Structures are given as C-alpha cells and as structure tokens.
Amino acid sequence: MRAVEDLDELTRLVYRQQGLFVRFSEGPEADAAQASVDYESGLPLPGLSVNRLDPPRWWTRPLTDWLARQICQYAHLAERAASRTGWILTGKVVGRGPDDEPLLSDIEPVAWLGKDVLDQAQGWYAEYFHVGRSSA
C-alpha cells in the first residue's frame, strides 16, 4: 500500500475519489484479524470505526481545512501506541458507532498516512481553527 506523504497530496486524493475514510489502528491486516468492539459496553460492532474524509454539504471552508480537522480528531490514537498509524480506506457504511462515527465493512485499504501528513495536519489545525473551543 502506498503512503500519502503530505497534506496537499491527501487533498488531491480526496478531490479525485469520494467515499474515503481515515482510521487509526495497527493497519488493515490487524483489523481483519479481530472484530471491533465498543470498549465501554463490550458489545461487538458491525464494522470498523472510521472518520469520513468527504466534507458534509454545510462545509464551505477549503477541503484542506476539513481534512486537517478530521485527521486531528483521532490522531491521538496513534500517539498513544507506536504500533498504531493512520490509513485511508473505503468500504460500505453498515452503521454508526457509539460516538455516531461511521462503521465500515467490505474494507478496501487505499493508502497509509505518512508522518509528515500528521504533522502538517496538526500545524494546519492549530493555525486555522479555535482548537479546544466549545459551543457552550
């Protein structure tokens, strides 16, 4: 599987191909070897928990802004364990997880996220967003 090396390359990929998602885990092979489980309830999930890369209709800011935000929402999972990394995938949405995230089956890996993409996304997110600001 190829690696996406920078945020510009990821933006071009998402422009060209709709229906992409990002996941932070030990990778496609590890995910295929075991069922996904909701950690709090212990219940099995019908698919892999992912974050969508296609922006919703209401998103009027640049695509790069959306991608940086989506990557940063779950990048902490890769930071907690050296064996976890980000990767791009497609699949069939079969439900919603406990945090209303899409759950995918029929997974097709597309690309790894290179370390530079994560660093660039975090820098972009910090520069162009009010990180940590709540609606309250």
Side-chain angles (χ1 to χ4, degrees):
M1 190 164 57
R2 71 184 184 101
V4 172
E5 298 297 343
D6 63 41
L7 198 51
D8 288 338
E9 183 181 355
L10 178 61
T11 301
R12 288 190 302 273
L13 175 63
V14 174
Y15 267 127
R16 285 192 316 267
Q17 185 176 349
Q18 291 186 331
L20 296 176
F21 299 85
V22 64
R23 177 168 169 80
F24 290 89
S25 71
E26 293 182 9
E29 290 181 17
D31 287 339
Q34 60 186 3
S36 293
V37 175
D38 172 31
Y39 295 111
E40 291 184 357
S41 69
L43 295 171
L45 297 171
L48 296 179
S49 175
V50 296
N51 217 8
R52 68 187 266 180
L53 293 180
D54 291 331
R57 289 183 183 200
W58 57 263
W59 189 262
T60 58
R61 291 175 59 161
L63 176 58
T64 303
D65 288 1
W66 176 260
L67 297 175
R69 185 176 186 184
Q70 292 301 89
I71 289 169
C72 289
Q73 293 300 308
Y74 290 95
H76 65 278
L77 297 173
E79 294 167 357
R80 289 184 191 166
S83 61
R84 291 184 184 161
T85 189
W87 55 289
I88 307 299
L89 62 156
T90 64
K92 178 182 174 188
V93 176
V94 293
R96 308 295 288 186
D99 295 321
D100 203 34
E101 74 279 13
L103 300 174
L104 293 188
S105 69
D106 303 328
I107 301 302
E108 292 185 35
V110 174
W112 296 106
L113 285 181
K115 180 164 177 10
D116 288 346
V117 174
L118 299 176
D119 293 342
Q120 290 171 5
Q122 289 171 336
W124 193 281
Y125 189 51
E127 183 173 348
Y128 294 101
F129 289 87
H130 302 286
V131 178
R133 183 178 184 183
S134 74
S135 60

